[in-house]
Amino acid sequence: MAQWTSAIGPAQLARQLQAQQPRPVGAGLRKPPAYRALADGIRLLVLEGRVPAAARLPAERELAVALSVSRTTVAAAYEALRGEGFLESRRGAGSWTAVPAGHPLPGRGLEPLPPESLGSMIDLGCAALPAPEPWLTRGVQGALEELPPYAHTHGDYPAGLPALRQMLADRYTARGIPTMPEQIMVTTGAMGAMDAICHLFAGRGERIAVESPSYANILQLMREAGARLVPIAMAEGLTGWDLPRWRQVLRDAAPRLAYVVADFHNPTGALADEDQRRQLVDAARSAGTVLVVDETMSELWLDEDLAMPRPVCTFDPAGATVLTVGSASKAFWAGMRIGWVRAAPDIIRSLVAARAYADLGTPVLEQLAVNWLMGTGGWEQAVELRRTQARDNRDALVAAVRRELPDWEFHVPRGGLTLWVRTGGLSGSRLAEVGERVGVRVPSGPRFGVDGAFEGYVRLPFTVGGPVAEEAAVRLAAAARLVETGGGSGGAEPPRTFVA
């Protein structure tokens, strides 16, 4: 019986390998042989989770043709990977990827580190901040006071608690978009909302247009749903979308769905202006494409003089073309797994009906906590605290990276939680690998692209500040030096414990 659970084709693997930047060769060192470079490339893909463990690799001859190398080169690379524990083979079953003993199983998304690992590792993998106290505690206490009437019911509310649906509808109405509670479904975080939308609108094989780069976890969710991703490059700098390219793709590819982040795009931090929003809605409506707009960062503007454009759904008030996804996770706390969808009532009914086969509903206590916070003004005070934390962290991280890594390039976003950094010609994948060994965890650029794009980037979130941000930059600089000198394949000095 074969030990592999998925397969990767030769063309797909070749694209991912060819997008990688070659490993730098330090002064006085010889360029590694072709088989070693190939083995290193596959090992990096496995370590980052971009090729999952137990994935069947192409046959030697197939991969050799796709890469335009000799079969001997591929055979030697596979043998090296077997010797290192990254490949297993059996006659008649082929070869499949593995993770050697002692290595953690890599995730395909951006999972946060376990709390017990934080003493020695600075985690820049997850764009999430600690809870804004005392508002988390107050919200939970307020929810407990309001819980007794709900405890006498079955507790299943597939569309969400009526009180929270009304609260969210009123908040949209206050923003200038008249909304009824029938246009709201409460979900288990924004990921729960996106999962429901993808299952309703984009069956296996359907096209979904996505920004390039885009949020890694959403891209992976879509891949696992069987979607065919159509990447559309962002405009230069922080200027938002390339509208001529969007119009062309929507017209020619006719994707069933399109997913965008208009407010402080993850990972670039770009903010689409109002005219871009209007044009994209018009283009989606003309193409018959459902436009899913992720608003999870919309309240995290950091510069006081910034005038925020109107929401994208302003230009589709009925919600027939634009589905808006919101969440408490970024603006408030990632542990508060409350999200929502705003759409036309018939779409909401279809989403609710389909939910019966998924998670049935969202936890009542957390819904009550969010409702309490939004109804008492606690939400606004908590979000203001969050903005202050993110602003201070952004400024500290920007200063530290500019000091320690002056060759790295980035634009400073005016909101959100992420910095998208060009790494001066270094491989983001190798920086991520070496960073783990020197005590800083950072996601590489290809996690945010399709088929290996953005190898020369990393994403740095504003999750640490002060001395921790300075130490993170020092460790990133140490990782960069190891990569530059070709020392990224050997052992590195273990990180010292850091206490903020």
PDB file of all heavy atoms in Angstrom, residues 141-176:
ATOM      1  N   GLN A 141     -17.329  39.262  30.993  1.00  0.00           N
ATOM      2  CA  GLN A 141     -18.187  39.432  32.177  1.00  0.00           C
ATOM      3  C   GLN A 141     -19.580  39.918  31.772  1.00  0.00           C
ATOM      4  O   GLN A 141     -20.593  39.438  32.291  1.00  0.00           O
ATOM      5  CB  GLN A 141     -17.531  40.429  33.136  1.00  0.00           C
ATOM      6  CG  GLN A 141     -16.298  39.872  33.834  1.00  0.00           C
ATOM      7  CD  GLN A 141     -15.538  40.918  34.635  1.00  0.00           C
ATOM      8  OE1 GLN A 141     -15.709  42.128  34.415  1.00  0.00           O
ATOM      9  NE2 GLN A 141     -14.704  40.477  35.555  1.00  0.00           N
ATOM     10  N   GLY A 142     -19.614  40.865  30.829  1.00  0.00           N
ATOM     11  CA  GLY A 142     -20.907  41.337  30.348  1.00  0.00           C
ATOM     12  C   GLY A 142     -21.689  40.226  29.668  1.00  0.00           C
ATOM     13  O   GLY A 142     -22.916  40.128  29.814  1.00  0.00           O
ATOM     14  N   ALA A 143     -20.984  39.354  28.928  1.00  0.00           N
ATOM     15  CA  ALA A 143     -21.648  38.238  28.255  1.00  0.00           C
ATOM     16  C   ALA A 143     -22.238  37.263  29.266  1.00  0.00           C
ATOM     17  O   ALA A 143     -23.347  36.752  29.089  1.00  0.00           O
ATOM     18  CB  ALA A 143     -20.652  37.530  27.342  1.00  0.00           C
ATOM     19  N   LEU A 144     -21.508  36.994  30.355  1.00  0.00           N
ATOM     20  CA  LEU A 144     -21.997  36.058  31.367  1.00  0.00           C
ATOM     21  C   LEU A 144     -23.280  36.582  32.020  1.00  0.00           C
ATOM     22  O   LEU A 144     -24.188  35.804  32.344  1.00  0.00           O
ATOM     23  CB  LEU A 144     -20.918  35.834  32.428  1.00  0.00           C
ATOM     24  CG  LEU A 144     -19.731  34.971  31.986  1.00  0.00           C
ATOM     25  CD1 LEU A 144     -18.637  35.000  33.044  1.00  0.00           C
ATOM     26  CD2 LEU A 144     -20.178  33.537  31.711  1.00  0.00           C
ATOM     27  N   GLU A 145     -23.360  37.893  32.177  1.00  0.00           N
ATOM     28  CA  GLU A 145     -24.573  38.460  32.762  1.00  0.00           C
ATOM     29  C   GLU A 145     -25.774  38.301  31.829  1.00  0.00           C
ATOM     30  O   GLU A 145     -26.917  38.182  32.289  1.00  0.00           O
ATOM     31  CB  GLU A 145     -24.341  39.943  33.071  1.00  0.00           C
ATOM     32  CG  GLU A 145     -23.320  40.176  34.192  1.00  0.00           C
ATOM     33  CD  GLU A 145     -23.035  41.655  34.407  1.00  0.00           C
ATOM     34  OE1 GLU A 145     -23.636  42.480  33.671  1.00  0.00           O
ATOM     35  OE2 GLU A 145     -22.209  41.990  35.289  1.00  0.00           O
ATOM     36  N   GLU A 146     -25.530  38.299  30.525  1.00  0.00           N
ATOM     37  CA  GLU A 146     -26.616  38.203  29.552  1.00  0.00           C
ATOM     38  C   GLU A 146     -26.892  36.764  29.114  1.00  0.00           C
ATOM     39  O   GLU A 146     -27.818  36.513  28.332  1.00  0.00           O
ATOM     40  CB  GLU A 146     -26.280  39.058  28.321  1.00  0.00           C
ATOM     41  CG  GLU A 146     -26.162  40.544  28.655  1.00  0.00           C
ATOM     42  CD  GLU A 146     -25.760  41.384  27.449  1.00  0.00           C
ATOM     43  OE1 GLU A 146     -25.625  40.801  26.343  1.00  0.00           O
ATOM     44  OE2 GLU A 146     -25.576  42.605  27.601  1.00  0.00           O
ATOM     45  N   LEU A 147     -26.111  35.819  29.601  1.00  0.00           N
ATOM     46  CA  LEU A 147     -26.222  34.441  29.144  1.00  0.00           C
ATOM     47  C   LEU A 147     -27.474  33.689  29.618  1.00  0.00           C
ATOM     48  O   LEU A 147     -28.013  32.872  28.851  1.00  0.00           O
ATOM     49  CB  LEU A 147     -24.968  33.670  29.569  1.00  0.00           C
ATOM     50  CG  LEU A 147     -24.882  32.205  29.142  1.00  0.00           C
ATOM     51  CD1 LEU A 147     -24.887  32.079  27.628  1.00  0.00           C
ATOM     52  CD2 LEU A 147     -23.628  31.548  29.741  1.00  0.00           C
ATOM     53  N   PRO A 148     -27.973  33.892  30.852  1.00  0.00           N
ATOM     54  CA  PRO A 148     -29.037  33.009  31.372  1.00  0.00           C
ATOM     55  C   PRO A 148     -30.221  32.779  30.438  1.00  0.00           C
ATOM     56  O   PRO A 148     -30.641  31.623  30.272  1.00  0.00           O
ATOM     57  CB  PRO A 148     -29.451  33.705  32.674  1.00  0.00           C
ATOM     58  CG  PRO A 148     -28.186  34.340  33.147  1.00  0.00           C
ATOM     59  CD  PRO A 148     -27.515  34.837  31.901  1.00  0.00           C
ATOM     60  N   PRO A 149     -30.795  33.808  29.777  1.00  0.00           N
ATOM     61  CA  PRO A 149     -31.935  33.505  28.899  1.00  0.00           C
ATOM     62  C   PRO A 149     -31.578  32.556  27.755  1.00  0.00           C
ATOM     63  O   PRO A 149     -32.394  31.728  27.339  1.00  0.00           O
ATOM     64  CB  PRO A 149     -32.352  34.880  28.363  1.00  0.00           C
ATOM     65  CG  PRO A 149     -31.813  35.857  29.353  1.00  0.00           C
ATOM     66  CD  PRO A 149     -30.551  35.261  29.849  1.00  0.00           C
ATOM     67  N   TYR A 150     -30.359  32.666  27.250  1.00  0.00           N
ATOM     68  CA  TYR A 150     -29.942  31.806  26.139  1.00  0.00           C
ATOM     69  C   TYR A 150     -29.679  30.383  26.606  1.00  0.00           C
ATOM     70  O   TYR A 150     -29.794  29.432  25.826  1.00  0.00           O
ATOM     71  CB  TYR A 150     -28.690  32.380  25.466  1.00  0.00           C
ATOM     72  CG  TYR A 150     -28.934  33.717  24.817  1.00  0.00           C
ATOM     73  CD1 TYR A 150     -28.702  34.904  25.517  1.00  0.00           C
ATOM     74  CD2 TYR A 150     -29.405  33.799  23.510  1.00  0.00           C
ATOM     75  CE1 TYR A 150     -28.934  36.133  24.931  1.00  0.00           C
ATOM     76  CE2 TYR A 150     -29.637  35.021  22.910  1.00  0.00           C
ATOM     77  CZ  TYR A 150     -29.403  36.192  23.620  1.00  0.00           C
ATOM     78  OH  TYR A 150     -29.649  37.411  23.031  1.00  0.00           O
ATOM     79  N   ALA A 151     -29.300  30.239  27.879  1.00  0.00           N
ATOM     80  CA  ALA A 151     -29.019  28.899  28.404  1.00  0.00           C
ATOM     81  C   ALA A 151     -30.268  28.040  28.456  1.00  0.00           C
ATOM     82  O   ALA A 151     -30.178  26.811  28.547  1.00  0.00           O
ATOM     83  CB  ALA A 151     -28.389  29.012  29.799  1.00  0.00           C
ATOM     84  N   HIS A 152     -31.439  28.644  28.398  1.00  0.00           N
ATOM     85  CA  HIS A 152     -32.696  27.892  28.417  1.00  0.00           C
ATOM     86  C   HIS A 152     -33.132  27.474  27.013  1.00  0.00           C
ATOM     87  O   HIS A 152     -34.203  26.898  26.851  1.00  0.00           O
ATOM     88  CB  HIS A 152     -33.799  28.723  29.080  1.00  0.00           C
ATOM     89  CG  HIS A 152     -33.561  28.970  30.539  1.00  0.00           C
ATOM     90  ND1 HIS A 152     -33.615  27.972  31.493  1.00  0.00           N
ATOM     91  CD2 HIS A 152     -33.237  30.112  31.211  1.00  0.00           C
ATOM     92  CE1 HIS A 152     -33.360  28.482  32.688  1.00  0.00           C
ATOM     93  NE2 HIS A 152     -33.122  29.786  32.541  1.00  0.00           N
ATOM     94  N   THR A 153     -32.299  27.776  25.995  1.00  0.00           N
ATOM     95  CA  THR A 153     -32.610  27.374  24.611  1.00  0.00           C
ATOM     96  C   THR A 153     -31.657  26.255  24.199  1.00  0.00           C
ATOM     97  O   THR A 153     -30.751  25.874  24.944  1.00  0.00           O
ATOM     98  CB  THR A 153     -32.442  28.561  23.653  1.00  0.00           C
ATOM     99  OG1 THR A 153     -31.045  28.830  23.471  1.00  0.00           O
ATOM    100  CG2 THR A 153     -33.132  29.798  24.200  1.00  0.00           C
ATOM    101  N   HIS A 154     -31.819  25.759  22.970  1.00  0.00           N
ATOM    102  CA  HIS A 154     -30.917  24.715  22.462  1.00  0.00           C
ATOM    103  C   HIS A 154     -29.529  25.259  22.179  1.00  0.00           C
ATOM    104  O   HIS A 154     -28.563  24.503  22.091  1.00  0.00           O
ATOM    105  CB  HIS A 154     -31.490  24.068  21.195  1.00  0.00           C
ATOM    106  CG  HIS A 154     -31.931  25.052  20.159  1.00  0.00           C
ATOM    107  ND1 HIS A 154     -31.077  25.930  19.540  1.00  0.00           N
ATOM    108  CD2 HIS A 154     -33.166  25.304  19.653  1.00  0.00           C
ATOM    109  CE1 HIS A 154     -31.742  26.666  18.679  1.00  0.00           C
ATOM    110  NE2 HIS A 154     -33.026  26.324  18.729  1.00  0.00           N
ATOM    111  N   GLY A 155     -29.379  26.560  21.999  1.00  0.00           N
ATOM    112  CA  GLY A 155     -28.067  27.167  21.811  1.00  0.00           C
ATOM    113  C   GLY A 155     -27.551  27.183  20.385  1.00  0.00           C
ATOM    114  O   GLY A 155     -26.454  27.701  20.139  1.00  0.00           O
ATOM    115  N   ASP A 156     -28.295  26.631  19.435  1.00  0.00           N
ATOM    116  CA  ASP A 156     -27.863  26.629  18.043  1.00  0.00           C
ATOM    117  C   ASP A 156     -28.517  27.791  17.295  1.00  0.00           C
ATOM    118  O   ASP A 156     -29.748  27.853  17.182  1.00  0.00           O
ATOM    119  CB  ASP A 156     -28.243  25.312  17.357  1.00  0.00           C
ATOM    120  CG  ASP A 156     -27.370  24.152  17.809  1.00  0.00           C
ATOM    121  OD1 ASP A 156     -26.246  24.411  18.254  1.00  0.00           O
ATOM    122  OD2 ASP A 156     -27.828  22.997  17.722  1.00  0.00           O
ATOM    123  N   TYR A 157     -27.688  28.690  16.786  1.00  0.00           N
ATOM    124  CA  TYR A 157     -28.175  29.836  16.019  1.00  0.00           C
ATOM    125  C   TYR A 157     -27.380  29.875  14.715  1.00  0.00           C
ATOM    126  O   TYR A 157     -26.357  30.581  14.626  1.00  0.00           O
ATOM    127  CB  TYR A 157     -28.004  31.139  16.805  1.00  0.00           C
ATOM    128  CG  TYR A 157     -28.823  31.201  18.072  1.00  0.00           C
ATOM    129  CD1 TYR A 157     -28.330  30.687  19.267  1.00  0.00           C
ATOM    130  CD2 TYR A 157     -30.104  31.757  18.068  1.00  0.00           C
ATOM    131  CE1 TYR A 157     -29.085  30.744  20.435  1.00  0.00           C
ATOM    132  CE2 TYR A 157     -30.863  31.807  19.223  1.00  0.00           C
ATOM    133  CZ  TYR A 157     -30.346  31.300  20.401  1.00  0.00           C
ATOM    134  OH  TYR A 157     -31.098  31.351  21.547  1.00  0.00           O
ATOM    135  N   PRO A 158     -27.778  29.129  13.695  1.00  0.00           N
ATOM    136  CA  PRO A 158     -26.975  29.013  12.473  1.00  0.00           C
ATOM    137  C   PRO A 158     -26.665  30.352  11.801  1.00  0.00           C
ATOM    138  O   PRO A 158     -25.606  30.505  11.196  1.00  0.00           O
ATOM    139  CB  PRO A 158     -27.838  28.121  11.574  1.00  0.00           C
ATOM    140  CG  PRO A 158     -28.672  27.332  12.522  1.00  0.00           C
ATOM    141  CD  PRO A 158     -28.968  28.256  13.664  1.00  0.00           C
ATOM    142  N   ALA A 159     -27.572  31.318  11.904  1.00  0.00           N
ATOM    143  CA  ALA A 159     -27.316  32.629  11.309  1.00  0.00           C
ATOM    144  C   ALA A 159     -26.642  33.591  12.276  1.00  0.00           C
ATOM    145  O   ALA A 159     -26.211  34.668  11.883  1.00  0.00           O
ATOM    146  CB  ALA A 159     -28.617  33.246  10.805  1.00  0.00           C
ATOM    147  N   GLY A 160     -26.529  33.188  13.540  1.00  0.00           N
ATOM    148  CA  GLY A 160     -25.980  34.069  14.565  1.00  0.00           C
ATOM    149  C   GLY A 160     -27.065  34.546  15.509  1.00  0.00           C
ATOM    150  O   GLY A 160     -28.263  34.490  15.194  1.00  0.00           O
ATOM    151  N   LEU A 161     -26.664  35.022  16.670  1.00  0.00           N
ATOM    152  CA  LEU A 161     -27.633  35.559  17.619  1.00  0.00           C
ATOM    153  C   LEU A 161     -28.373  36.744  17.001  1.00  0.00           C
ATOM    154  O   LEU A 161     -27.747  37.641  16.428  1.00  0.00           O
ATOM    155  CB  LEU A 161     -26.927  36.026  18.893  1.00  0.00           C
ATOM    156  CG  LEU A 161     -26.308  34.958  19.803  1.00  0.00           C
ATOM    157  CD1 LEU A 161     -25.751  35.628  21.053  1.00  0.00           C
ATOM    158  CD2 LEU A 161     -27.318  33.894  20.161  1.00  0.00           C
ATOM    159  N   PRO A 162     -29.686  36.786  17.112  1.00  0.00           N
ATOM    160  CA  PRO A 162     -30.430  37.922  16.542  1.00  0.00           C
ATOM    161  C   PRO A 162     -29.913  39.270  17.037  1.00  0.00           C
ATOM    162  O   PRO A 162     -29.855  40.234  16.261  1.00  0.00           O
ATOM    163  CB  PRO A 162     -31.870  37.659  17.007  1.00  0.00           C
ATOM    164  CG  PRO A 162     -31.944  36.169  17.162  1.00  0.00           C
ATOM    165  CD  PRO A 162     -30.592  35.750  17.664  1.00  0.00           C
ATOM    166  N   ALA A 163     -29.544  39.358  18.309  1.00  0.00           N
ATOM    167  CA  ALA A 163     -29.069  40.642  18.843  1.00  0.00           C
ATOM    168  C   ALA A 163     -27.785  41.089  18.160  1.00  0.00           C
ATOM    169  O   ALA A 163     -27.608  42.276  17.847  1.00  0.00           O
ATOM    170  CB  ALA A 163     -28.857  40.519  20.355  1.00  0.00           C
ATOM    171  N   LEU A 164     -26.857  40.148  17.903  1.00  0.00           N
ATOM    172  CA  LEU A 164     -25.595  40.520  17.261  1.00  0.00           C
ATOM    173  C   LEU A 164     -25.814  40.817  15.780  1.00  0.00           C
ATOM    174  O   LEU A 164     -25.185  41.736  15.237  1.00  0.00           O
ATOM    175  CB  LEU A 164     -24.559  39.410  17.444  1.00  0.00           C
ATOM    176  CG  LEU A 164     -23.166  39.694  16.850  1.00  0.00           C
ATOM    177  CD1 LEU A 164     -22.593  41.009  17.386  1.00  0.00           C
ATOM    178  CD2 LEU A 164     -22.219  38.537  17.123  1.00  0.00           C
ATOM    179  N   ARG A 165     -26.686  40.085  15.127  1.00  0.00           N
ATOM    180  CA  ARG A 165     -26.988  40.391  13.725  1.00  0.00           C
ATOM    181  C   ARG A 165     -27.560  41.801  13.596  1.00  0.00           C
ATOM    182  O   ARG A 165     -27.191  42.557  12.684  1.00  0.00           O
ATOM    183  CB  ARG A 165     -27.979  39.369  13.162  1.00  0.00           C
ATOM    184  CG  ARG A 165     -27.452  37.953  13.099  1.00  0.00           C
ATOM    185  CD  ARG A 165     -28.520  36.998  12.603  1.00  0.00           C
ATOM    186  NE  ARG A 165     -28.728  37.108  11.157  1.00  0.00           N
ATOM    187  CZ  ARG A 165     -29.771  36.590  10.514  1.00  0.00           C
ATOM    188  NH1 ARG A 165     -30.744  35.961  11.191  1.00  0.00           N
ATOM    189  NH2 ARG A 165     -29.886  36.722   9.201  1.00  0.00           N
ATOM    190  N   GLN A 166     -28.443  42.182  14.525  1.00  0.00           N
ATOM    191  CA  GLN A 166     -28.998  43.527  14.512  1.00  0.00           C
ATOM    192  C   GLN A 166     -27.915  44.566  14.783  1.00  0.00           C
ATOM    193  O   GLN A 166     -27.860  45.615  14.129  1.00  0.00           O
ATOM    194  CB  GLN A 166     -30.106  43.649  15.553  1.00  0.00           C
ATOM    195  CG  GLN A 166     -30.799  45.001  15.572  1.00  0.00           C
ATOM    196  CD  GLN A 166     -31.631  45.247  14.329  1.00  0.00           C
ATOM    197  OE1 GLN A 166     -32.580  44.512  14.047  1.00  0.00           O
ATOM    198  NE2 GLN A 166     -31.277  46.286  13.563  1.00  0.00           N
ATOM    199  N   MET A 167     -27.036  44.264  15.736  1.00  0.00           N
ATOM    200  CA  MET A 167     -25.951  45.186  16.072  1.00  0.00           C
ATOM    201  C   MET A 167     -25.048  45.418  14.865  1.00  0.00           C
ATOM    202  O   MET A 167     -24.697  46.569  14.540  1.00  0.00           O
ATOM    203  CB  MET A 167     -25.141  44.626  17.239  1.00  0.00           C
ATOM    204  CG  MET A 167     -23.954  45.482  17.657  1.00  0.00           C
ATOM    205  SD  MET A 167     -24.452  47.068  18.389  1.00  0.00           S
ATOM    206  CE  MET A 167     -25.140  46.458  19.955  1.00  0.00           C
ATOM    207  N   LEU A 168     -24.656  44.345  14.182  1.00  0.00           N
ATOM    208  CA  LEU A 168     -23.779  44.484  13.023  1.00  0.00           C
ATOM    209  C   LEU A 168     -24.481  45.220  11.891  1.00  0.00           C
ATOM    210  O   LEU A 168     -23.868  46.065  11.219  1.00  0.00           O
ATOM    211  CB  LEU A 168     -23.314  43.105  12.568  1.00  0.00           C
ATOM    212  CG  LEU A 168     -22.375  42.370  13.548  1.00  0.00           C
ATOM    213  CD1 LEU A 168     -22.230  40.910  13.144  1.00  0.00           C
ATOM    214  CD2 LEU A 168     -21.016  43.045  13.590  1.00  0.00           C
ATOM    215  N   ALA A 169     -25.756  44.930  11.681  1.00  0.00           N
ATOM    216  CA  ALA A 169     -26.516  45.643  10.643  1.00  0.00           C
ATOM    217  C   ALA A 169     -26.574  47.135  10.951  1.00  0.00           C
ATOM    218  O   ALA A 169     -26.394  47.979  10.062  1.00  0.00           O
ATOM    219  CB  ALA A 169     -27.921  45.052  10.535  1.00  0.00           C
ATOM    220  N   ASP A 170     -26.796  47.476  12.202  1.00  0.00           N
ATOM    221  CA  ASP A 170     -26.863  48.889  12.591  1.00  0.00           C
ATOM    222  C   ASP A 170     -25.520  49.581  12.370  1.00  0.00           C
ATOM    223  O   ASP A 170     -25.480  50.761  11.988  1.00  0.00           O
ATOM    224  CB  ASP A 170     -27.272  49.007  14.058  1.00  0.00           C
ATOM    225  CG  ASP A 170     -28.726  48.622  14.300  1.00  0.00           C
ATOM    226  OD1 ASP A 170     -29.486  48.512  13.317  1.00  0.00           O
ATOM    227  OD2 ASP A 170     -29.095  48.400  15.476  1.00  0.00           O
ATOM    228  N   ARG A 171     -24.431  48.868  12.597  1.00  0.00           N
ATOM    229  CA  ARG A 171     -23.109  49.470  12.409  1.00  0.00           C
ATOM    230  C   ARG A 171     -22.848  49.744  10.929  1.00  0.00           C
ATOM    231  O   ARG A 171     -22.250  50.763  10.575  1.00  0.00           O
ATOM    232  CB  ARG A 171     -22.033  48.582  13.010  1.00  0.00           C
ATOM    233  CG  ARG A 171     -22.068  48.557  14.553  1.00  0.00           C
ATOM    234  CD  ARG A 171     -21.082  47.554  15.126  1.00  0.00           C
ATOM    235  NE  ARG A 171     -19.705  47.964  14.911  1.00  0.00           N
ATOM    236  CZ  ARG A 171     -19.019  48.761  15.716  1.00  0.00           C
ATOM    237  NH1 ARG A 171     -19.594  49.278  16.796  1.00  0.00           N
ATOM    238  NH2 ARG A 171     -17.756  49.061  15.464  1.00  0.00           N
ATOM    239  N   TYR A 172     -23.270  48.837  10.053  1.00  0.00           N
ATOM    240  CA  TYR A 172     -23.140  49.111   8.620  1.00  0.00           C
ATOM    241  C   TYR A 172     -24.007  50.304   8.220  1.00  0.00           C
ATOM    242  O   TYR A 172     -23.585  51.168   7.445  1.00  0.00           O
ATOM    243  CB  TYR A 172     -23.524  47.879   7.802  1.00  0.00           C
ATOM    244  CG  TYR A 172     -22.407  46.873   7.653  1.00  0.00           C
ATOM    245  CD1 TYR A 172     -22.444  45.664   8.352  1.00  0.00           C
ATOM    246  CD2 TYR A 172     -21.314  47.130   6.827  1.00  0.00           C
ATOM    247  CE1 TYR A 172     -21.416  44.733   8.226  1.00  0.00           C
ATOM    248  CE2 TYR A 172     -20.287  46.209   6.696  1.00  0.00           C
ATOM    249  CZ  TYR A 172     -20.342  45.016   7.398  1.00  0.00           C
ATOM    250  OH  TYR A 172     -19.326  44.101   7.279  1.00  0.00           O
ATOM    251  N   THR A 173     -25.222  50.351   8.741  1.00  0.00           N
ATOM    252  CA  THR A 173     -26.118  51.462   8.427  1.00  0.00           C
ATOM    253  C   THR A 173     -25.502  52.786   8.867  1.00  0.00           C
ATOM    254  O   THR A 173     -25.568  53.788   8.138  1.00  0.00           O
ATOM    255  CB  THR A 173     -27.478  51.250   9.103  1.00  0.00           C
ATOM    256  OG1 THR A 173     -28.060  50.027   8.627  1.00  0.00           O
ATOM    257  CG2 THR A 173     -28.423  52.402   8.806  1.00  0.00           C
ATOM    258  N   ALA A 174     -24.863  52.789  10.039  1.00  0.00           N
ATOM    259  CA  ALA A 174     -24.214  54.006  10.530  1.00  0.00           C
ATOM    260  C   ALA A 174     -23.044  54.426   9.648  1.00  0.00           C
ATOM    261  O   ALA A 174     -22.678  55.612   9.611  1.00  0.00           O
ATOM    262  CB  ALA A 174     -23.730  53.783  11.970  1.00  0.00           C
ATOM    263  N   ARG A 175     -22.471  53.484   8.911  1.00  0.00           N
ATOM    264  CA  ARG A 175     -21.369  53.797   7.995  1.00  0.00           C
ATOM    265  C   ARG A 175     -21.883  54.244   6.628  1.00  0.00           C
ATOM    266  O   ARG A 175     -21.104  54.497   5.717  1.00  0.00           O
ATOM    267  CB  ARG A 175     -20.469  52.569   7.828  1.00  0.00           C
ATOM    268  CG  ARG A 175     -19.726  52.168   9.083  1.00  0.00           C
ATOM    269  CD  ARG A 175     -19.083  50.789   8.940  1.00  0.00           C
ATOM    270  NE  ARG A 175     -17.998  50.780   7.975  1.00  0.00           N
ATOM    271  CZ  ARG A 175     -17.393  49.661   7.560  1.00  0.00           C
ATOM    272  NH1 ARG A 175     -17.808  48.473   8.003  1.00  0.00           N
ATOM    273  NH2 ARG A 175     -16.396  49.729   6.695  1.00  0.00           N
ATOM    274  N   GLY A 176     -23.189  54.338   6.482  1.00  0.00           N
ATOM    275  CA  GLY A 176     -23.759  54.817   5.239  1.00  0.00           C
ATOM    276  C   GLY A 176     -24.221  53.737   4.294  1.00  0.00           C
ATOM    277  O   GLY A 176     -24.548  54.024   3.138  1.00  0.00           O
TER     278      GLY A 176
END
